[in-house]
Amino acid sequence: MKKLLVPAILALVLAISAPAMAQKKSITIAADATWPPMEFIDENKQLVGYSVDYMKAAAEAAGYE
C-alpha cells in the first residue's frame, strides 16, 4: 500500500503545481540611477545603462519577465 501511496501523492502534487509553474515569473529590480554608464536616466526618462542591460539579460536567462 505504501509503495502505491507515495507515487500517487507525488503525481497529484505535480498535476496541481504544473499550471502554476507554467506562469511567467516576474521580478522587480531597483537602481539608484546616478552612476553613468552603469545606470542613468536618459532623455526619454527611461532607466538605461550597463547594469540595467545586465539585470534584464540575467532575469530573462532565469525565466523572469
Side-chain angles (χ1 to χ4, degrees):
M1 173 95 175
K2 188 175 181 180
K3 288 183 180 181
L4 294 175
L5 186 60
V6 172
I9 291 173
L10 181 59
L12 181 63
V13 168
L14 289 174
I16 292 171
S17 63
M21 289 189 291
Q23 293 177 344
K24 190 81 171 176
K25 302 177 284 184
S26 66
I27 189 169
T28 303
I29 299 171
D32 188 14
T34 58
W35 299 93
M38 298 303 284
E39 66 250 347
F40 59 97
I41 305 293
D42 69 359
E43 58 275 350
N44 297 323
K45 306 284 186 207
Q46 298 294 316
L47 185 62
V48 294
Y50 171 76
S51 64
V52 175
D53 295 338
Y54 181 80
M55 286 286 97
K56 285 180 182 179
E60 183 179 329
Y64 289 91
E65 286 186 19

